[in-house]
């Protein structure tokens, strides 16, 4: 069952209806039932491993909480984390070994729910939260259907509590949720799926386009925009569906293309993943004895600043290699991780130099043009990174790089029109992107559009909603002849 | 009035308003984007819903709407008959129309056309809903229709099934198309549900479409795609629906008869084992336990009623106006009892051809593996008693003998030859009839 399907929306509708019909205390059971049904529809064989992982994690949570002895607690959490990471690694690596992949069932969403579970167990270990008492509620947290495919990587502290307490019916929340689902659907089936036609056309025929750097550059930009529209569209749908249940889910995006630096970008892009790596990898790594020792040595030799920077470099390097591996175990993902990690480290190390350069060039930090330049630069950094991760191997990356620098013929611009998108597709994408940009600018200023439209008179407001639904249903790419069944981040 | 009730009324009014607005928008889009100016079923269903009552209803695929002229059956039976056939009408669409008709009218008798060709494609057309849409698009809104569309639609079809304009969404970017369509839809003919006739065929009322096309004797040409009836290719769902129809009609006290329109002798001979299909339908009726339902396969008609000529057909499966006129008349005579089963029909196809004179109907051909010539076979009744010759006269006037006058039916035509193929068939050299066909 795809998220962009009649069946999925019917399931959601029924789940919401049953949810509010049940007594407050038992409302989460409606979500559990729909999550089990949804997961089963994705592939029945994967349900058993997920249930096993959930049972194991549930028991470990309780045992860790009960245990008073520090050493025992440490052993238990280590076992739990190692087991969960080993399963994740096994699943991720199985793709490289055909004999292994025959025997491995890949549970959908394992990359996401594994991190959620590890976060939960570590929080229990650090006594930041209490262990879940109900095994079925814990399973609901793991399988929660709006987010199972590609996040957000929810924390049990937020989602588990809301599932437990149940939510009262709130008409405004229901409407807001539906609007967000609609907005996500617009991004996905009106914009992203159109861009994906051109992107897959170019990347699947690299040999044909290797002589046309302009086409490859266009594909790189389309690919970056497609990923954002696809992934943020999914997140909007996941958050929107949750809102229909009255449940608040973590935000995953905060207009990342307004970021002015690589670090700033990752504070706005896939925020729950960045947050997870910060809380559960960056900080613990920076507190390890080895890093402390190394930082101390650097501090003694080069001063206090060097100590801080050494700690940052070590933790950043570990986090970005891990981030690359989380996305995939191919060499391109490792290179992608190194690429981002290096950018973070260089920007930290050269911070002083950049400040001096800005002063010398009399650049005002608040100048709009400077900000725009920084945003554009960050966008290009992302575009390049996306190109690396989108290729099957590094040979293709090299082909694209070579073409970009040696085969840029302005006359090839015409070829972009022949990438499978028709004239009206380009027009729809352009208008769609302008709309997303306008909405983002307004939201960036702190204005909530949904709250603003809610203030309109009922008739024009509902006419607007009807028109919006019609436009999406009319021009969206879905149904026969289109593949909307998958999302870009679904297979990480 | 309590606050709660006020709120509820407001919510219901809101929902009705939204539904009305959405329906209005989508209806407007359908008018703008969907070209149904050439649809027979739009006109047929409009007429179907406009009847005072229907006494006798004919349902089925194109063989039905091209084969039964209600003007004739009305006159001969003294009843109001209606032909609700539609192109490639699947058996489940037939069943849907049957239910719709029984609810709307006090029907005495329903005649359901069964064709091996449509039955065989039942599963094949599972994912192609064109045949369904050409009916459902013009049916009145109802829960029955919605349920049927839900059942027929796969996951990717729901929008196309329920939002008709979605099927043509790309046309929204073609102002020329929209303008032209709007003009067509503004015409009185469209508004009055008059079908725009063409040179070859016209809508003749109550669902019947008549064609002037006539097939000259012996000129059928066909690739041998369907040499034998393969019953195993018929979807079990088809069988089930036939049985469901029997039960439904028994429950609603409506007489039911299954029938097949006559096929050309060429088609029947190509099938080789057409009797198997007849046996299958009779077997299903037997399985249902019904003693009133019967199956009439008009391909079994005796030559004294149905002459063995291709000139009654527009192609090898469909009747032309002349054929439909004769067939409707015979059908009506059978319905009102002027003809009995034994008078009208042979026992089976074997008996039928055995009773007929030797005859030549056309040629089956297929491309040879190396694409250099066609392997051809003359389709002849009682081929063991006949001899034939084939001479090719190329466009340049060159005469090439492809087959000497002899027994046997097979010959070859080089693919690069273009011209007239003269075929002579007879029992002896003094009794040869010639047919000319072009390649």
């Amino acid at each position: 069952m795809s998220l962009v399907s009649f069946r999925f929306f019917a399931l959601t509708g029924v789940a919401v209806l049953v949810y509010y019909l049940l007594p407050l205390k038992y409302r989460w059971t409606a979500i559990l039932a729909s999550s089990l049904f949804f997961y089963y529809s994705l592939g029945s064989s994967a349900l058993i491993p997920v249930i096993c992982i959930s049972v194991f994690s549930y028991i470990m949570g309780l045992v860790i909480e009960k245990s008073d002895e520090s050493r025992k607690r440490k052993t238990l959490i280590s076992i739990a984390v190692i087991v969960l990471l080993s399963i994740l690694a096994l699943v991720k690596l199985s793709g490289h070994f055909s004999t292994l992949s025959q025997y491995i069932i890949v549970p959908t969403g394992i990359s996401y729910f594994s991190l959620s579970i590890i976060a939960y167990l570590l929080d229990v270990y650090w006594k930041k939260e209490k262990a879940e008492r109900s095994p079925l509620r814990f399973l609901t947290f793991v399988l929660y259907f709006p987010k199972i495919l590609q996040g957000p990587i929810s924390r049990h502290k937020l989602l588990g509590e809301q599932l437990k307490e149940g939510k009262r019916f709130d008409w405004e929340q229901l409407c807001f949720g539906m609007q967000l689902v609609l907005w996500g659907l617009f991004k996905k089936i009106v914009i992203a799926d159109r861009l994906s036609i051109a992107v897959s056309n170019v990347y699947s025929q690299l040999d044909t386009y290797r002589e046309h750097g302009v086409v490859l550059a266009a594909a790189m930009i389309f690919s970056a925009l497609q990923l954002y529209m696809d992934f943020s569209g999914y997140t909007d749908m996941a958050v929107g569906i949750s809102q229909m249940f009255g449940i608040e889910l973590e935000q995953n995006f905060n207009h990342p293309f307004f970021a002015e630096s690589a670090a700033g970008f990752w504070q706005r892009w896939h925020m729950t993943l960045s947050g997870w790596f910060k809380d559960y990898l960056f900080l613990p790594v920076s507190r390890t004895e080895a890093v402390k020792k190394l930082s101390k040595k650097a501090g003694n030799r080069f001063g206090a600043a060097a100590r801080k920077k050494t700690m940052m470099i070590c933790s950043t390097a570990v986090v970005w290699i891990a981030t690359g591996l989380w996305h995939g175990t191919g060499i391109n993902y490792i290179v992608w991780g190194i690429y981002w990690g290096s950018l973070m480290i260089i920007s930290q190390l050269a911070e002083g130099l950049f400040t001096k350069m800005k002063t010398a060039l009399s650049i005002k930090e608040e100048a709009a043009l400077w900000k725009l330049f920084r945003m554009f630069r960050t966008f290009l950094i992302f575009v390049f990174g996306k190109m690396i991760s989108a290729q099957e191997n590094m040979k293709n990356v090299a082909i694209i790089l070579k073409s970009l620098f040696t085969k840029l013929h302005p006359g090839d611009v015409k070829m972009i029109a022949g990438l499978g998108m028709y004239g009206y597709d380009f027009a729809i994408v352009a208008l769609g992107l302008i709309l997303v940009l306008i909405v983002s600018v307004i939201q960036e200023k702190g204005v909530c559009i949904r709250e603003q439209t809610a203030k309109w008179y009922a008739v024009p407001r509902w006419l607007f909603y009807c028109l919006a639904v019609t436009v999406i249903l009319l021009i969206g790419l879905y149904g026969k002849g289109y593949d909307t069944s998958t999302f870009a981040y679904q297979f990480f | 009035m309590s606050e709660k009730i006020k709120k509820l009324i407001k919510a219901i009014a809101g929902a009705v308003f939204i539904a009305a607005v959405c329906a209005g928008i989508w209806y407007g889009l359908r008018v703008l984007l969907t070209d149904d100016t050439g649809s027979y079923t739009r006109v047929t269903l409009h007429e179907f819903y406009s009847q005072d009552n229907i006494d006798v209803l004919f349902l089925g695929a194109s063989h039905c709407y091209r084969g039964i002229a209600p003007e004739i059956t009305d006159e001969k039976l003294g009843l109001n008959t209606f032909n609700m056939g539609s192109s490639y009408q699947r058996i489940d669409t037939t069943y849907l129309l049957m239910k719709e008709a029984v609810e709307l009218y006090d029907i005495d008798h329903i005649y359901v056309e069964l064709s091996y060709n449509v039955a065989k494609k039942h599963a094949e057309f599972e994912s192609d809903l064109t045949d369904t849409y050409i009916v459902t698009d013009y049916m009145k809104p109802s829960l029955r229709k919605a349920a049927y569309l839900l059942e027929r639609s796969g996951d990717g079809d729901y929008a196309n099934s329920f939002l008709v304009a979605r099927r043509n969404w790309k046309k929204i970017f073609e102002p020329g198309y929209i303008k032209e369509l709007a003009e067509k839809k503004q015409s009185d003919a469209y508004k009055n549900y008059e079908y725009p006739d063409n040179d070859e065929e016209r809508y003749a009322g109550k669902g019947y479409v008549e064609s002037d096309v006539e097939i000259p004797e012996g000129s059928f040409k066909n690739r041998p795609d369907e040499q034998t009836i393969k019953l195993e290719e018929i979807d079990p769902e088809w069988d089930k629906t036939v049985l469901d129809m029997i039960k439904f009609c028994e429950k609603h006290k409506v007489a039911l008869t299954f029938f097949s329109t006559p096929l050309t002798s060429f088609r029947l001979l190509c099938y080789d084992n057409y009797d198997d299909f007849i046996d299958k339908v009779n077997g299903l009726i037997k399985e249902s336990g019904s003693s009133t339902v019967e199956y009439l396969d008009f391909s079994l008609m005796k030559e004294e009623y149905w002459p063995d000529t291709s000139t009654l057909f527009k192609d090898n499966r469909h009747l032309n106006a002349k054929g439909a006129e004769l067939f409707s008349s015979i059908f009506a005579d059978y319905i009102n009892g002027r003809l009995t089963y034994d008078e009208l029909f042979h026992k089976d196809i074997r008996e039928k051809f055995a009773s007929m004179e030797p005859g030549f109907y056309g040629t089956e051909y297929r491309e040879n593996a190396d694409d250099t010539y066609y392997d051809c076979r003359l389709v002849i009744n009682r081929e063991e008693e006949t001899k034939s010759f084939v001479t090719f006269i190329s466009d340049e006037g060159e005469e090439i003998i492809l087959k000497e006058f002899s027994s046997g039916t097979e010959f070859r035509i080089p693919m690069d030859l273009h011209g007239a193929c003269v075929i002579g068939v007879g029992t002896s050299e003094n009794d040869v009839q010639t047919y000319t066909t072009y390649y």
Side-chain angles (χ1 to χ4, degrees), chain B residues 135-175:
Chain B
V135 172
T136 54
D137 280 0
Y138 308 105
M139 282 178 74
K140 285 184 177 170
S142 67
L143 280 177
R144 182 185 310 113
K145 175 179 151 180
Y148 177 67
L149 281 172
L150 273 177
E151 193 188 309
R152 270 293 274 130
S153 305
D155 213 13
D157 299 314
Y158 294 112
N160 283 349
S161 294
F162 292 96
L163 308 169
V164 176
R166 163 72 187 172
R167 288 178 227 151
N168 283 355
W169 69 270
K170 289 175 187 168
K171 297 286 183 196
I172 205 154
F173 302 102
E174 293 178 31

Side-chain angles (χ1 to χ4, degrees), chain A residues 261-263 309 312 340-352 354 377:
Chain A
S261 64
K309 279 185 176 165
M312 185 276 298
W340 277 105
S342 311
L343 280 170
M344 303 288 179
I345 291 166
I346 291 166
S347 62
Q348 286 278 336
L349 291 176
E351 203 180 357
F354 291 146
R377 184 195 60 186

Side-chain angles (χ1 to χ4, degrees), chain A residues 6 194 424 474 476 478 480, chain B residues 127 156-158 166 169-170:
Chain A
F6 176 81
R194 280 200 162 79
Y424 54 77
L474 189 70
Y478 63 96
K480 260 196 193 130
Chain B
S127 58
D157 299 314
Y158 294 112
R166 163 72 187 172
W169 69 270
K170 289 175 187 168

Side-chain angles (χ1 to χ4, degrees), chain A residues 1-2 4-8 194 422 424-425 427-428 458-459 462-463 466-467 469-480 482, chain B residues 11 17-19 21-22 25-26 29 33 126-129 150 153-160 162-163 165-166 168-170 172-173:
Chain A
M1 190 192 297
S2 157
V4 183
S5 68
F6 176 81
R7 280 162 212 253
F8 180 78
R194 280 200 162 79
Y422 294 97
Y424 54 77
D425 287 321
I428 291 170
V459 173
W462 281 99
L463 277 176
C466 290
L467 212 64
V469 173
T470 303
V471 168
I472 293 168
L473 289 178
L474 189 70
I475 64 171
L477 298 189
Y478 63 96
K480 260 196 193 130
Y482 303 108
Chain B
F17 170 74
I18 293 164
V21 169
C22 287
I25 292 173
W26 281 99
L29 284 168
L33 303 177
E126 195 58 45
S127 58
D128 183 353
L129 277 81
L150 273 177
S153 305
D155 213 13
D157 299 314
Y158 294 112
N160 283 349
F162 292 96
L163 308 169
R166 163 72 187 172
N168 283 355
W169 69 270
K170 289 175 187 168
I172 205 154
F173 302 102

Side-chain angles (χ1 to χ4, degrees), chain A residues 118-129 155 280:
Chain A
I118 290 171
Y120 159 75
L121 291 172
L122 284 169
D123 283 349
V124 171
Y125 171 70
W126 288 326
K127 296 185 178 169
K128 282 184 180 174
E129 75 164 304
R155 305 285 172 94
Y280 302 103

Side-chain angles (χ1 to χ4, degrees), chain B residues 1-19:
Chain B
M1 200 184 287
S2 76
E3 258 324 288
K4 263 193 174 177
I5 293 177
K6 269 186 191 171
K7 264 190 174 175
L8 187 70
I9 292 173
K10 219 173 142 186
I12 293 170
V16 171
F17 170 74
I18 293 164

